Amino acid sequence: VSAAPSAFSDEKGGSASEPEYGHDPASGGIFSSDYKRHDDLKEMLDSNKDSLKLEAMKRIVAMIARGKNASDLFPAVVKNVACKNIEVKKLVYVYLVRYAEEQQDLALLSISTFQRGLKDPNQLIRASALRVLSSIRVTIIVPIMMLAIKEAASDMSPYVRKTAAHAIPKLHSLDPEQKDQLIEVIEKLLADKTTLVAGSVVMAFEEVCPDRIDLIHKNYRKLCNLLIDVEEWGQVVIINMLTRYARTQFLNPNINESLLEENSEKAFYASDDEEEEDKKAEPATLAKRKPYVMDPDHRLLLRNTKPLLQSRNAAVVMAVAQLYFHLAPKAEVGIIAKALVRLMRSHSEVQYVVLQNVATMSIKRRGMFEPYLKSFYIRSTDPTQIKVLKLEVLTNLANETNISTILREFQTYIKSMDKDFVAASIQAIGRCATNIGEVRDTCLNGLVQLLSNRDELVVAESVVVIKKLLQMQPEQHSDIIKHMAKLIDNIQVPMARASILWLIGEYCEHVPKIAPDVLRKMAKSFTNEEDIVKLQIINLAAKLYLTNSKQSKLLTQYVLNLAKYDQNYDIRDRARFIRQLIVPTDKSGALSKYAKKLFLALKPAPVLESPFKDRDHFQLGSLSHLLNAKAAGYQELPNWPESAPDPSVRNVEIPDWSKCSSRKDRKEKKVEKPFYSDSEGESGPTESADSGNCESDSGSGSASASGSDESGSGSESEESGEETESDEEEEDEEEEKKKRKKLDKTKAKKQAEESAERCTIHTIHQISCIINFDQFDMNKITSVFSQTLAPSGSIKMYELLHRIKGEGLAVEYCFSRQPFSPEPNMVAVQIQFTNNTNSETKNLHIEDPRLQSGMRIREFAEIDVLAAGESVTVVMGIDFCDSTQAANFQLCTHTRKFFVSIQPPVGELMTPAFLTENDFKKEQGKLMGMNEILEKLTLGEKCVNEHVIVERVTATANLSRVPCGSDKECRFAGKTVSSGCLVLVTVTTKEGGGAQLTVNCEKMLIGTMLVKDILQALSQ
Amino acid sequence: MIHSLFLVNASGDIFLEKHWKSVVSRSVCDYFFEALERATEPENVPPVIPTPHHYLINVLRHRIYFVAVIQSEVPPLFVIEFLHRVVDTFQDYFGVCTEAAIKDNVVVVYELLEEMLDNGFPLATESNILKELIKPPTILRTVVNTITGSTNVGEQLPTGQLSVVPWRRTGVKYTNNEAYFDVIEEIDAIIDKSGSTITAEIQGVIDACVKLTGMPDLTLSFMNPRLLDDVSFHPCVRFKRWEAERILSFIPPDGNFRLLSYHVSSQNLVAIPVYVKHNISFREGSSQGRFELTLGPKQTMGKAVESVLVSSQLPRGVLNANLNPSQGTYTFDPVTKLLSWDVGKINPQKLPSLKGSMSLQAGASKPDENPTINIQFKIQQLAISGLKVNRLDMYGEKYKPFKGIKYMTKAGKFQVRT
């Protein structure tokens, strides 16, 4: 026992000067010393001094970093997971994440610490708890992780939400079966409006459900607009995803050009009689194709990504470049060239990737890079792989006008010391020669000169390239063939020898004297040649036998005999095959007649193509493109759709429900007047297209787009007001009468507002109270009435300013649930002032409202005098923009100012809507999926019957009851005040006090909050 | 995204590994070592190496290979750019990024890597944020930490992470408030045999060292902003303002950062500040070669050309060089055949020259490659493109900062073909 501490202190002394274990002084085996060392680490970890623990953890982390196994310390380390010292804790996390997979049972001991951490008030601790929890790859905790992620996804702190987004792919890779639930979380986080979350959640989207393009629709515009403020790594991920999205949702901007090309080709090749048909067909096809108009959303994407070409991050620039290459109209793609050329100054790895992509682009769009030709000139200090890529680009850019400068440049390259690069340069010259007829002879001459180069590799490469060039016009170049035949004595590179032999064989008629002699030499050295050379010797022999059998018969026999006993079976096979084919025997088959045709057929000249041709079917900038092979997890870039999918799916300002129906109504009405409707039908789309164009021209971007949207909904809201009225007219007369009454009342109220407002409200109050009592008995009839009046019985007063704080002035407010007549999309707030002082209060009014963007206030008229002991009630309107954000303002008297705020419960943000049972079902059907929230609950003790449920629900939210056939179900409907989104609530009761609550609302936030409130109300 | 990271030193040893997801065995690096063997030069290792189950993406900086292991499709530049950012961060923290520095600070390195990536996706890469999370090791802090037992790890979430200016930390305080800007331009050029310019372009950067209290809002304007038509910005620069007014408006990060880099392309006319007269020749049949080199200034706007260094890779056949410099010193490495001549300052009255003979392998034929000459130089107080800063203004804070601007022109990849 006493030995242990001393050993420990020794170790400690040693460790201060030498934090790592460099060498082992004791000659005990590795195992024993390891065991010992770990023993002292364990003791340090068990001590109660943080500094010792930290020291131990640092040494353990150093071990991990060097790849040493430290797993046997797991129990000792994991104990410290709850350590107070934050650095120790962090290092324990590092350890835990590294080894948890191996020690699953022990890892579970730490889970409760993280669960506690998830509830910590400090967001950093919450986030790091979630981070570590989700990084522990232990399947048993999947449910805990799922729960934690779900909770974190609705955390207040965007940083925690970001961590939640990061955790999603972790959980998905641990347990793919959680996919569906994770998609729900992704959906929720996609709706997040902070830039911090955007990149991470799109990353999660790409890993978990990249095919769920439908989740993007609603967030598309937001993502486009946020893009510039997202951190750079997120930008890359979002841009890549949006490229794919755009390919599925928009039309090909170059569609007209490709159409023109098609047509011109047709016209060129078409014979006369076909042409006539074409003439008929052409106008038809052209007529079918509408003139292309770019979707404003497509334009939005292009416009918002363009500034990112200026990013300092090469990955972002590349992402934008590929987006433009794949999505932009031809005329606009050019802008990316400058940025890409700029990237070439970066680190050589960046250069490598960029050049690969430039090489692919330069084939499709040569003109784009032509002005930057000189930026691709090669320096002797470039690494070889960069040189070769630059060469590729230069070759792709070569055309009639610049070929002379390029060739001059190539000439200097041939003199380089880097032989691989010289070989590539020779190939490049060959390619230029095949592509540009004018310089073919010049190139050929240059290459022939290279044949006398001292470097054999250079000569060999030239031979191979010359062979390909000669195939294009062999007649004129028998001199060169002769020259090459002479070279065979000196060149040792097998590929070059094979090429020369093939050339001589192929064109043996041009060099009738030399060819047999070459065969003679080759027969002599046959056994020492490489396999490809041997094959070509057999080939040459066969061809000579067919053309000049007199001189070469015996030689051929000799070669074939040699080949017969070769070690390589390919060569033996070839010999057997050729013998059968060319040497006439009795048994020789029908083919030998055609031997000459078989061997000496005219062969098409090879096309020297860039290896980068057609690589653009891979998304540029991707790993798959770089490797020219599909990498795991690569998402194909979809082809453009034939016709554009519905663009309205991206409308975020919820496509006004009333607006839609009213449109439909209008159209139906117009059927009677076909003249108008026709013209309307045509002008509709062009109008929208025009406005799209204006937008893109104005360049003010997102703001204008969303602005116009908003204003659209604003103007619409008045209409919707009228519309509800007209809807109501269709309902029962009985109801209509009541409605009239109500209207009268409000009119009366308006008139009396200034003078005797209080009285009217009082009367309303009284009436509503009376009705309230009776309501439950005449449930069905009051369904309309309940809309305005029923809930007011349970109106709750909230305190705005306490008597003491307000120095005698007490202010209370309530949500009267009356429509606010001056502005229908405002919530009416009824405010009651009571003057508890002994003196008058003068000039009561509102000042300096501080509101969230979009919110508006309609102030009440100033109250001149409020006598001592009196109270007065006024009504003001607040447009909360369908959010529960508080409206802050100052309440001013002639002497004082008080800061106050009004925060609405979510239930007050809506007004009742009247639906029939069928309408309700129809609308509910439209609001499925992400718009539907289901929740099970147990009803509170007092919720015994339907009436109580109706009462509770209507008290919580300003909704109206919808008639329903089943008595197990209660349905309620309403619309949000500012944007008029439908809110549908269904409560289905079950045997034994259970119930299910369904809320359908397009505004998910409202839906969720409403669910919470109703749940609370019902379970009390 | 990024699964694991291995650091490999010049002798091919893995000296650090870090895994962000399941552990990937270090044997995956064997594929990298194969590629390393195949490559003739260290910089010729392909940046992306496919293996049966993984892809290896590597960058080479400071003679260390940073090998990232990835498993599925990810933009290669994303990984490359991130790895470079890691190197920059190490350099920022430890002053140098060497194997020794990384080994000495292995715990900080690990903590940094932990913060920079979460599950393989970049989390915090902004230096200002990282420095709030993990304080850089200084001698003083190391001493204090050992005495008091306090730590390097911050306890609060860096406020920058949540704010709209994630690149700046809050609560910055200085007694001397100063802002320095260095305009540095590098000329990349290829000059042909006859002395005419084949291509020349300028790569410029504006590096800043800003030590200002609070949340200053700076604007920087130029006399001739038209020169800057191809620029990339630090994220702090307000792009809209630049587009509209050609003014750089930004809330700077604290400390050193690169505000902007720009490119004056080969389509513009670029002044070449030095010329080279050379005569390098080998005679057929003789084992001697002649070497003559003279440097001279041109288009320097009256400024002195300093720190001139000439280097050239001579052909393989050259055994030795016997040269005579008029100033400075020269070295010739007979193994790598690299000739370098440290010239110093060019005196226009007495042009520096290097003359002499080279001995070739006896009996070998005359080399047919021509060596290229690489030149490095510096010119103080001059931006060769003509860019000039007009003024720097500060808003948002009340004190008066000390401001300074420095110009410098350097040779980038400046090559003369012979």
Side-chain angles (χ1 to χ4, degrees), chain A residues 378-479:
Chain A
I378 294 158
R379 292 157 211 281
S380 61
T381 41
D382 287 332
T384 310
Q385 47 186 356
I386 300 291
K387 284 180 186 162
V388 172
L389 283 169
K390 280 186 173 175
L391 210 54
E392 178 66 40
V393 175
L394 286 174
T395 316
N396 289 342
L397 293 181
N399 60 16
E400 283 81 358
T401 49
N402 59 21
I403 185 68
S404 56
T405 35
I406 290 184
L407 279 182
R408 206 176 312 135
E409 210 26 51
F410 282 180
Q411 268 172 6
T412 58
Y413 299 164
I414 288 168
K415 290 180 191 151
S416 162
M417 288 178 224
D418 183 344
K419 292 306 164 206
D420 293 335
F421 168 53
V422 174
S425 305
I426 294 169
Q427 282 175 12
I429 293 174
R431 256 179 56 205
C432 287
T434 49
N435 296 340
I436 301 161
E438 285 92 329
V439 294
R440 195 168 297 152
D441 288 342
T442 331
C443 289
L444 202 51
N445 287 336
L447 289 171
V448 169
Q449 275 170 27
L450 282 181
L451 291 178
S452 51
N453 193 292
R454 227 169 267 110
D455 195 299
E456 199 190 347
L457 279 168
V458 174
V459 179
E461 200 65 46
S462 316
V463 168
V464 176
V465 173
I466 289 173
K467 176 205 135 193
K468 288 178 183 162
L469 286 180
L470 284 184
Q471 253 183 292
M472 296 183 157
Q473 35 194 176
E475 312 77 30
Q476 303 160 21
H477 298 296
S478 51
D479 286 350

Side-chain angles (χ1 to χ4, degrees), chain A residues 117 156 160 287 320 324 327 329 340 380 401 414 504 531 745 1020:
Chain A
M156 294 263 288
V160 176
V320 180
Y324 263 76
L327 299 181
L340 287 178
S380 61
T401 49
I414 288 168
I504 295 171
D531 290 346
K745 242 176 249 162
Q1020 266 169 11

Side-chain angles (χ1 to χ4, degrees), chain A residues 904-944:
Chain A
V906 65
E908 303 299 339
L909 294 174
M910 39 201 84
T911 61
F914 304 96
L915 298 177
T916 62
E917 191 171 359
N918 283 338
D919 282 345
F920 185 90
K921 281 190 177 152
K922 210 171 85 193
E923 294 299 337
Q924 198 177 27
K926 287 184 197 164
L927 293 169
M928 300 301 279
M930 57 192 269
N931 296 321
E932 183 171 87
I933 303 162
L934 269 178
E935 204 67 59
K936 289 213 171 77
L937 68 145
T938 17
L939 292 172
E941 277 175 30
K942 287 177 192 163
C943 284
V944 277

Side-chain angles (χ1 to χ4, degrees), chain A residues 662-681:
Chain A
S662 67
R663 277 260 166 88
K664 259 182 236 158
D665 283 353
R666 249 186 256 157
K667 268 192 188 162
E668 275 165 15
K669 277 174 202 162
K670 269 164 193 157
V671 173
E672 294 158 29
K673 297 185 260 173
F675 191 67
Y676 277 110
S677 78
D678 244 343
S679 63
E680 168 116 347

Side-chain angles (χ1 to χ4, degrees), chain A residues 131 232 345 380 454 624, chain B residues 73 85 114 186 188 365 372:
Chain A
R131 235 183 106 183
E232 39 199 351
R345 250 303 287 229
S380 61
R454 227 169 267 110
S624 305
Chain B
E73 173 66 49
R85 202 62 69 83
E114 189 73 22
E186 293 190 0
D188 290 352
S365 50
T372 48

